[in-house]
Amino acid sequence: MDKIIISCAVTGSIHTPSMSPHLPVTADEIADQAVAAAEAGAAVLHLHARNPADGRPSQDPALFAAFLPAIRDRCDAIINITTGGGLGMSLDERLAPAKWAAPEIASLNMGSLNFDISGAAARVPAFRHGWERPYLEMTRDFILSNTFAQIERGLRDLGALGTRFEYECYDVGHLYNLAHFVDRGLVKPPFFVQAIFGILGGIGADHANLMHMKSTADRLFGADYRLSVLAAGRHQMPFVTMGAILGANVRVGLEDSLYIAKGQLARSNAEQVAKIRRILDELSLEVATPDEARAMLRTKGAGGVAF
């Protein structure tokens, strides 16, 4: 088996500040937690930005500029910038920070889907900021738009900068969408496929679904792809462990789950990275360094970014 790439999604745009005091919001908090995650074993850092005043997700390149150079200077992890952004943003907004930064990797959602996180609102006893409850509750009537035209624009605009992609697949059909772009020659191997489980509107967090996603990707892409696995909330650690046993790479981080154990909030992203690192060590599975991950994913290298 190849070495396993650990990705860490540091803050995301799903959870809100009232859900955990440990969710990084300011530039310093994001940078410090990202660097600590890299020191704990993460080779890839998946990054969003937030308004430091109230924690609202933002795709303002200036907010990314406030922490990206610090992360670059303090660790050698691969920087992966979101193009999903925050829920309800335009495509121009979503692409803006990656177009500015020209990172080694950018995420790219591979299909539209109902994306319902409204149930989380009922589990928060009190919100600290006025935007949080409406942001969550509006997703009962929300479609995360990733049309073929939008996907193609992301591929072309960011591909021209030498950026490679984390292809986020929330359902089996998204794998076929990726195969469509492969057939058209717009996507070149190796494909870094992030299989996502447990979002209401996407494929459920059932272990049989992981087997189905993997067998479908094996059939579509053969040796031309590298699978990574993430699961939302309480499913995070069991799913990524199963994925690793099957030969997949893994993603953890406070974007995907705020917890380290049942009923226990994670104090940091690094705590989650250290936990999956211990599990992998116990299974005698080797973890890839950032430079090994660069070779596996064929990125342009840290010297090719614009920040």
Side-chain angles (χ1 to χ4, degrees):
M1 294 175 64
D2 289 333
K3 293 185 178 182
I4 292 176
I5 299 169
I6 300 176
S7 294
C8 181
V10 174
T11 189
S13 63
I14 295 175
H15 297 122
T16 71
S18 298
M19 296 176 182
S20 172
H22 309 298
L23 185 71
V25 167
T26 69
D28 286 346
E29 290 169 348
I30 292 170
D32 288 346
Q33 288 220 31
V35 171
E39 291 172 346
V44 177
L45 300 171
H46 175 77
L47 298 171
H48 289 241
R50 292 176 180 267
N51 183 322
D54 62 5
R56 189 182 186 100
S58 174
Q59 289 292 92
D60 182 350
L63 293 178
F64 283 81
F67 57 75
L68 286 179
I71 296 171
R72 175 203 62 205
D73 292 344
R74 293 167 59 190
C75 71
D76 64 348
I78 298 170
I79 301 298
N80 171 359
I81 293 180
T82 179
T83 66
L87 303 179
M89 293 181 181
S90 70
L91 184 61
D92 285 339
E93 290 175 307
R94 289 162 55 183
L95 292 177
K99 290 176 70 173
W100 165 77
E104 290 185 74
I105 297 176
S107 67
L108 190 64
N109 297 330
M110 292 310 297
S112 300
L113 71 153
N114 291 310
F115 198 103
D116 187 353
I117 56 173
S118 62
R123 296 191 290 272
V124 180
F127 287 100
R128 294 164 48 197
H129 306 289
W131 68 269
E132 294 178 81
R133 183 184 293 277
Y135 180 81
L136 297 170
E137 291 183 343
M138 71 89 176
T139 61
R140 290 179 61 248
D141 189 26
F142 174 72
I143 294 174
L144 180 58
S145 179
N146 302 285
T147 66
F148 284 99
Q150 290 172 326
I151 294 168
E152 182 170 344
R153 182 178 163 198
L155 288 170
R156 292 189 184 278
D157 286 4
L158 299 179
L161 303 175
T163 295
R164 295 189 65 84
F165 298 94
E166 172 199 26
Y167 299 103
E168 296 197 338
C169 295
Y170 291 82
D171 216 331
V172 176
H174 293 182
L175 295 172
Y176 286 89
N177 293 351
L178 175 57
H180 162 78
F181 288 104
V182 173
D183 290 343
R184 292 178 56 194
L186 292 176
V187 175
K188 303 297 183 185
F191 320 123
F192 189 39
V193 175
Q194 191 69 255
I196 301 171
F197 302 86
I199 293 294
L200 184 57
I203 196 166
D206 299 310
H207 292 117
N209 287 340
L210 172 51
M211 300 298 294
H212 182 46
M213 288 283 278
K214 183 181 184 301
S215 64
T216 301
D218 287 345
R219 187 168 61 254
L220 290 173
F221 309 122
D224 286 339
Y225 88 108
R226 294 189 179 274
L227 180 66
S228 184
V229 172
L230 75 87
R234 63 186 174 88
H235 304 289
Q236 182 190 63
M237 287 296 169
F239 253 77
V240 299
T241 300
M242 179 178 174
I245 291 169
L246 294 172
N249 303 288
V250 301
R251 185 175 119 173
V252 296
L254 297 184
E255 173 175 349
D256 303 333
S257 174
L258 295 174
Y259 290 84
I260 192 65
K262 185 176 182 178
Q264 182 182 345
L265 289 171
R267 293 167 295 177
S268 68
N269 282 275
E271 188 176 20
Q272 289 187 355
V273 174
K275 180 173 181 175
I276 190 58
R277 177 70 183 266
R278 288 195 302 273
I279 292 170
L280 297 176
D281 286 345
E282 290 291 338
L283 294 171
S284 298
L285 298 173
E286 292 188 87
V287 172
T289 67
D291 283 342
E292 288 170 337
R294 287 184 172 94
M296 293 164 69
L297 302 177
R298 299 182 198 169
T299 73
K300 62 185 176 180
V305 303
F307 56 88

